[in-house]
Amino acid sequence: MTASPPTLDLAPALVVLPGPRAGMADGGGEGRMLRAPDARDLFEHGPVLVAHGAMTARRLNLSPPPRSPRLFDVLELHAFVRPGAFCAPSAVGLAMALGLAEPHGAAQQAQSLRESADALLRELALTPVPSREEALAVAETLAKAGWSWGPAVIGALRSVPVGNQFRGSGLDVWARLPEWEDQAPPGEAGSRPIDPERAGQRLTELLQRSGLEEIREAQATFAKEAAYAFQPREREGEPRMMLAEAGTGVGKTLGYLAPASLWAEANGPSVWVSTYTRALQRQIERESRSIYPDPKERAKKAVVRKGRENYLCLLNFQEQINGAQLGNGDLIGLALTARWARATRDGDMTGGDFPAWLPTLSAVPPSAQASPANLVDRRGECIHAGCQHYRICFIEKAVRASKRADLVIANHALVLTQAAFDGARTARGLKGDNETTSLKRIVFDEGHHLFEAADSAFSAALSGAEAAELRRWIRGPEGRGRRGRGLEARLLDILGDREGARQAMGQAIHAAAALPGEGWSGRVAPPDGQINPIGPIENFLVAVIEQLRARTSERGGADLGLQCDARPPIDLVRERAPEAAKALASIEAPLLALARALEDVLDEEAEHLAPSERARIEGALRGLDRRARMTLPAWRSILKALEEDDVDPSETDPDFVDWFEATFLYGRVVDAACRRHWVDPTEPLRAAVLSPAHGVLVTSATLVDPALEDPFALAEMRTGAARLPSAPKVLRLVSPFDYANNAKAFVVTDVNKEDPRQVSAAMRELFLAAGGGGLGLFTAIRRLKAVHERIAAPLADNGLALYAQHVDPLEVGALVDIFRAEEDACLLGTDAIRDGVDVPGRSLRLLVFDRVPWPRPDVLHKARRLRFGGKGYDDAVARARISQAFGRLIRRADDRGVFVMLDAAAPTRLFSSLPEGVQIERVGLVEAIEATTAFLAKKTEDRPGGDLAAS
């Protein structure tokens, strides 16, 4: 291979652990410790190899660096050489991804970082993807843009003869992506029953294909019993519904995939498997390999589906590239994203194979980043068949693939929001969106989150941000340098010479000027108090904020926001609500007229419309329907209730809760809203999803509440099963794990949870006692940050890296990836961490709650507590959260873990949902520390490089 440039040969590798403690490996690969001032000097003046420049800078108390010829981020090299391949964004993550030994301590990690860079360049020289010519074209573009790795990468690619057949920059990936092919509709799914014994046999086959000969009795039982949800239903509106709790280790995924795959083969398409988290979607797709071992077959039979806002939009991508080539954007980030776009399985940028850490590596303005925020169809601006990339569109490919797949692996948000939209269209005699097909058989995994997902899907919010987004959707970008397409840009050529439709569009564009525009939050809630609202909606938001300040205390507002009941409204709200409603009606009417005009085109010109024209009109109608027939009427309904409020609470609709809310960031109001939620969202869940289905399986490792007389009673209520004519089938299978011997649980009785110093000291000593592998869970971000500030350096002094949500410049998934890869790392997080962690093995061996995770007593929860059982409902929510968190601790039969609650007031009744064999011990902190050390029995004296970071 061609030698690396001299600069790279001489560049030392720098790894900084929290604290900061820095380690360096020099050009010869020898690792040594480095003082923090020397590490800062090396980082600022280079040349230097790092893993995640922005993270390294943060640990050195420096600002995130711009890209520089002297800063070699090995993660960028990985993104080029292995596009679409997984890598946790750290030196350890790189080593693990490349099959190198796990390095411990900063000095070893710095040595490993050099080895990772060398290994990647060797791999690139031998097997560049998708071809040497295409990789070289992108590399040369990157080199011209000043990419530090450019010369080394070009040298590796030219280490063997390579032609110059490839013309251009290599960034026009859309020219080389395969087109999707449309097919005839697959028709309605059948109703052939699934024999339970055959489901058991299918499970055996799947286990054998996975190399697992052992048959777990509980898993076989699950597969056979789950076949109930795949039997034909007897009456309309009465699905075969089953609630199944399967403890960790039962193997519920293959347990339900066995009957699901049988049903799909006999009747499909399709069985929809819905999850709450993105991580589980990918995990289920991996499990499907036992059903479809051939990758090509699996790509057709098991399709991961998400909402449109998750996929790379090629038109947005092309526009960003065009701007970057003129100097307006991050050309290096976009070129690396182009490499990914050629390798990705499905174009999924959020939780798929896109490296979410890529946009965060260096200092790039958010508007210029090659990030999901800028590259997905988040704005509802898709022009469908009018787009030049329509035939290769990742979204359209996923939609079409899901219509013919046996298994569609989706998420609760997509399934429920789509069902709500399709239900609204069906009620008017129109066909549904046609993006989710008929949901006859559904498996809701992570079913304990179904209530929260329904709450989100069937709610409405008239907020400044949402109203400003509607204005942008109608009028397009109005600020200089803004990107996007308004109604006129999307529809004008479709409307042709239809004067009525063009006039309706013009009226809607004109009326949308009443919505909040650029800088609205600075006008309705400026820091200096000099309000200057423009238009009736901003005037209404000013009134909302006035009511919030009149009815609430601002203590803690900067962290938690302000909330109050919407009724009775203050006089200012009552006065301004009609003006706002009138403005919304003036937008709604022309949008409806425009929608009717497009429906007329579909009807009157049916015989002349080309398929692409029809697809484009139907796409436009979907956007119009969502806004003119769902969003705007819901907003006007909220305003009408305020206008007509007679102050008597007994007259309010008992099914809904309306409240005002202000959101803060850095002490400033950044959004204000009037929200409406169902008190019990399982009513619309039943109507839109459950009743139309033929079979529904809701499963989770934490579904029941053993503290109740009927353990499934709360689950039946929260999943909507209690609203069906007949009771669901229930099944409970306990975990096969030996929790009595493999887990310990403590409540610490002598730590004041209100004192950040005591909580920090307790968490620090517990993490040290475990030798790392600790997860700290918090119910408030400010307490998390306070603890992180106090314990990062002491842990680093002992060789333990500490990562934290809301502190480190990484999204949750990337933090969990690092935590999983680094066996002795520690992690601090909130609810998102608790729900998204799947870390088997020693990497997670200690879990510490800073206090009982009671539900936040906001306006909505108070209404539900009143409806669902008062204090008992609070207990049930907290008990479920504790149980779910504990379930993260023991993921395999040989895992050992310690659970600690730093809240002396934690009631014993909250721990009744922990697995059988787990006994809560109430002890002092010293005893908990000693017990943790003894139980985990982790030797720390032989950990190399433990007390300093290496460079």
Side-chain angles (χ1 to χ4, degrees):
M1 187 184 83
T2 301
S4 299
T7 302
L8 182 58
D9 287 337
L10 297 173
L14 176 69
V15 169
V16 183
L17 298 182
R21 297 295 183 273
M24 183 185 82
D26 60 26
E30 182 178 348
R32 60 185 174 85
M33 303 315 302
L34 203 64
R35 295 184 311 119
D38 295 331
R40 290 191 192 95
D41 184 67
L42 175 61
F43 183 77
E44 289 187 297
H45 301 102
V48 62
L49 273 68
V50 297
H52 207 296
M55 179 85 79
T56 305
R58 175 182 286 273
R59 290 179 175 169
L60 292 171
N61 294 319
L62 299 172
S63 299
R67 286 198 180 87
S68 162
R70 59 173 179 74
L71 190 64
F72 295 86
D73 200 319
V74 184
L75 287 169
E76 287 188 342
L77 181 61
H78 185 278
F80 184 94
V81 177
R82 292 187 168 190
F86 173 77
C87 176
S90 69
V92 175
L94 282 160
M96 304 301 284
L98 293 166
L100 305 176
E102 180 182 354
H104 295 279
Q108 273 196 16
Q109 289 183 29
Q111 288 177 285
S112 176
L113 193 58
R114 289 196 60 84
E115 294 171 13
S116 295
D118 290 341
L120 286 167
L121 289 172
R122 287 196 301 271
E123 180 178 323
L124 181 63
L126 293 173
T127 55
V129 294
S131 70
R132 190 174 299 272
E133 291 80 4
E134 184 172 343
L136 181 59
V138 179
E140 290 176 338
T141 298
L142 282 162
K144 291 174 184 175
W147 189 41
S148 57
W149 288 105
V153 165
I154 292 173
L157 289 169
R158 290 194 178 277
S159 61
V160 299
V162 55
N164 293 316
Q165 304 95 325
F166 200 96
R167 302 289 181 182
S169 66
L171 303 184
D172 56 341
V173 293
W174 48 85
R176 294 178 297 283
L177 293 175
E179 293 186 352
W180 49 261
E181 296 181 1
D182 223 346
Q183 301 181 50
E188 283 291 308
S191 297
R192 293 177 60 185
I194 298 303
D195 176 46
E197 293 302 318
R198 181 69 188 95
Q201 294 170 10
R202 170 58 61 89
L203 174 64
T204 302
E205 296 167 6
L206 299 184
L207 291 171
Q208 289 173 345
R209 290 178 193 169
S210 302
L212 302 171
E213 299 295 335
E214 180 184 355
I215 305 298
R216 286 173 276 185
E217 183 178 348
Q219 189 179 32
T221 300
F222 187 101
K224 294 174 183 177
E225 295 291 327
Y228 172 85
F230 297 95
Q231 307 307 318
R233 70 177 182 180
E234 298 293 324
R235 285 175 291 277
E236 183 182 13
E238 296 187 27
R240 297 271 187 167
M241 187 160 184
M242 179 176 180
L243 306 181
E245 177 176 282
T248 307
V250 166
K252 61 181 169 60
T253 303
L254 284 182
Y256 61 66
L257 287 181
S261 60
L262 284 173
W263 185 89
E265 290 171 9
N267 301 291
S270 311
V271 175
W272 280 65
V273 179
S274 179
T275 75
Y276 187 69
T277 59
R278 296 165 179 164
L280 185 57
Q281 275 187 279
R282 286 297 173 185
Q283 180 182 324
I284 294 170
E285 191 273 332
R286 289 193 297 270
E287 296 269 11
S288 72
R289 295 174 186 175
S290 60
I291 309 174
Y292 316 111
D294 179 26
K296 291 184 178 179
E297 182 187 20
R298 186 168 68 254
K300 295 179 180 179
K301 296 287 190 178
V303 173
V304 175
R305 274 283 279 118
K306 298 181 180 179
R308 288 177 166 261
E309 68 280 1
N310 294 279
Y311 297 92
L312 174 68
C313 169
L314 290 167
L315 188 57
N316 285 346
F317 185 51
Q318 183 179 8
E319 289 178 355
Q320 286 277 86
I321 284 177
N322 290 341
Q325 289 178 321
L326 296 174
N328 301 316
D330 179 19
L331 185 59
I332 291 174
L334 288 164
L336 293 173
T337 302
R339 292 281 291 159
W340 165 79
R342 285 285 282 132
T344 179
R345 169 183 164 157
D346 54 12
D348 180 1
M349 297 193 76
T350 59
D353 50 16
F354 179 74
W357 39 261
L358 185 58
T360 70
L361 297 180
S362 56
V364 177
S367 61
Q369 288 179 355
S371 65
N374 294 321
L375 296 178
V376 303
D377 178 33
R378 193 182 300 277
R379 308 164 185 79
E381 61 191 14
C382 181
I383 55 177
H384 302 277
C387 176
Q388 65 195 77
H389 305 307
Y390 181 66
R391 294 290 303 182
I392 57 172
C393 175
F394 288 116
I395 301 166
E396 296 297 331
K397 285 179 184 176
V399 170
R400 280 160 178 76
S402 67
K403 292 177 183 178
R404 308 193 69 84
D406 282 3
L407 299 173
V408 181
I409 306 163
N411 53 64
H412 298 351
L414 172 67
V415 170
L416 300 187
T417 55
Q418 195 63 47
F421 178 62
D422 285 350
R425 286 176 66 89
T426 302
R428 303 195 331 273
L430 300 173
K431 70 175 183 178
D433 195 346
N434 203 30
E435 288 200 2
T436 55
T437 67
S438 176
L439 297 174
K440 279 193 172 183
R441 306 286 170 174
I442 315 172
V443 177
F444 286 109
D445 204 338
E446 297 181 306
H448 57 278
H449 283 300
L450 194 52
F451 187 90
E452 288 81 4
D455 179 45
S456 177
F458 299 107
S459 62
L462 170 52
S463 72
E466 289 294 321
E469 173 61 19
L470 178 60
R471 175 179 175 135
R472 187 214 56 78
W473 184 83
I474 295 172
R475 294 173 65 92
E478 297 175 277
R480 291 185 61 186
R482 300 285 182 175
R483 191 173 48 80
R485 294 170 287 277
L487 273 183
E488 188 171 28
R490 297 197 300 272
L491 298 180
L492 190 61
D493 58 330
I494 295 180
L495 300 180
D497 58 359
R498 298 175 183 84
E499 187 57 37
R502 294 168 70 99
Q503 185 176 4
M505 183 175 68
Q507 290 171 348
I509 292 171
H510 176 75
L515 295 168
E518 188 80 17
W520 68 268
S521 62
R523 292 191 293 273
V524 303
D528 61 6
Q530 299 298 311
I531 62 172
N532 183 32
I534 299 175
I537 308 301
E538 290 187 18
N539 272 317
F540 172 70
L541 294 174
V542 168
V544 166
I545 294 172
E546 284 293 312
Q547 178 163 326
L548 282 163
R549 287 173 172 159
R551 302 270 172 86
T552 62
S553 166
E554 289 204 37
R555 285 185 304 167
D559 292 311
L560 304 176
L562 300 177
Q563 284 191 350
C564 73
D565 287 305
R567 293 192 290 272
I570 62 174
D571 290 343
L572 190 61
V573 168
R574 190 180 284 107
E575 290 169 8
R576 293 184 176 178
E579 300 169 8
K582 183 178 178 181
L584 295 179
S586 69
I587 301 169
E588 182 182 329
L591 288 181
L592 286 171
L594 181 58
R596 286 191 290 268
L598 290 176
E599 289 166 354
D600 289 344
V601 172
L602 289 178
D603 179 23
E604 296 167 5
E605 301 187 16
E607 61 180 310
H608 304 298
L609 283 176
S612 62
E613 291 177 307
R614 175 175 292 277
R616 188 172 176 189
I617 293 173
E618 288 179 343
L621 279 171
R622 285 197 293 268
L624 288 167
D625 269 359
R626 287 184 185 276
R627 292 158 179 84
R629 292 186 169 120
M630 295 180 68
T631 299
L632 285 166
W635 288 357
R636 289 196 301 105
S637 176
I638 294 172
L639 294 169
K640 184 177 180 182
L642 293 172
E643 177 187 352
E644 298 177 350
D645 185 78
D646 58 4
V647 186
D648 184 357
S650 65
E651 298 296 321
T652 60
D653 191 329
D655 289 331
F656 295 98
V657 182
D658 292 355
W659 79 94
F660 293 160
E661 180 179 73
T663 306
F664 287 76
L665 182 64
Y666 303 120
R668 288 189 56 224
V669 174
V670 293
D671 202 6
C674 181
R675 300 187 178 276
R676 169 170 287 182
H677 283 239
W678 286 80
V679 176
D680 185 355
T682 64
E683 169 52 29
L685 172 66
R686 177 205 60 78
V689 180
L690 303 183
S691 292
H694 289 216
V696 179
L697 170 62
V698 180
T699 184
S700 168
T702 54
L703 203 57
V704 306
D705 189 341
L708 303 179
E709 183 177 347
D710 177 0
F712 277 96
L714 187 63
E716 290 185 24
M717 183 278 290
R718 289 176 64 84
T719 61
R723 292 184 173 274
L724 295 174
S726 55
K729 179 183 178 68
V730 297
L731 174 69
R732 187 183 186 195
L733 298 168
V734 300
S735 171
F737 295 160
D738 184 2
Y739 288 100
N741 289 315
N742 288 353
K744 291 285 186 182
F746 303 107
V747 173
V748 174
T749 58
D750 56 357
V751 170
N752 181 357
K753 66 184 179 185
E754 303 300 337
D755 184 346
R757 293 186 65 181
Q758 291 192 41
V759 173
S760 299
M763 206 163 284
R764 178 192 69 221
E765 295 305 317
L766 286 164
F767 285 175
L768 291 173
L775 173 63
L777 294 176
F778 295 80
T779 57
I781 296 172
R782 70 179 185 278
R783 291 199 295 272
L784 180 156
K785 290 181 175 179
V787 169
H788 177 272
E789 184 178 350
R790 287 178 169 88
I791 73 173
L795 291 181
D797 286 341
N798 288 272
L800 302 183
L802 178 67
Y803 300 93
Q805 185 189 8
H806 303 293
V807 175
D808 291 316
L810 288 169
E811 51 92 35
V812 170
L815 287 172
V816 173
D817 290 339
I818 296 174
F819 182 58
R820 184 185 298 111
E822 300 183 15
E823 186 175 277
D824 294 337
C826 296
L827 176 63
L828 306 181
T830 57
D831 282 355
I833 295 285
R834 185 191 71 223
D835 293 332
V837 169
D838 183 19
V839 182
R842 284 186 51 79
S843 290
L844 175 51
R845 51 190 179 270
L846 170 68
L847 190 150
V848 186
F849 264 109
D850 79 319
R851 62 184 61 204
V852 171
W854 295 110
R856 182 184 169 192
D858 56 25
V859 172
L860 181 58
H861 177 75
K862 287 163 69 177
R864 287 176 176 159
R865 178 169 56 195
L866 187 64
R867 173 76 64 90
F868 299 136
K871 171 178 167 293
Y873 184 66
D874 284 342
D875 285 358
V877 172
R879 196 157 41 234
R881 291 175 178 176
I882 290 171
S883 176
Q884 290 151 21
F886 186 90
R888 306 291 95 191
L889 189 59
I890 306 292
R891 307 299 292 170
R892 300 189 308 210
D894 59 349
D895 281 357
R896 291 169 64 81
V898 176
F899 174 97
V900 180
M901 176 71 72
L902 298 177
D903 189 343
T908 301
R909 65 181 183 274
L910 298 184
F911 302 101
S912 61
S913 58
L914 295 184
E916 186 176 349
V918 177
Q919 299 296 322
I920 285 289
E921 301 177 47
R922 294 183 178 272
V923 298
L925 178 59
V926 172
E927 189 176 348
I929 293 168
E930 292 173 347
T932 297
T933 301
F935 183 71
L936 295 177
K938 170 62 176 172
K939 294 181 180 180
T940 58
E941 63 272 12
D942 59 352
R943 186 187 301 113
D947 52 345
L948 286 176
S951 72

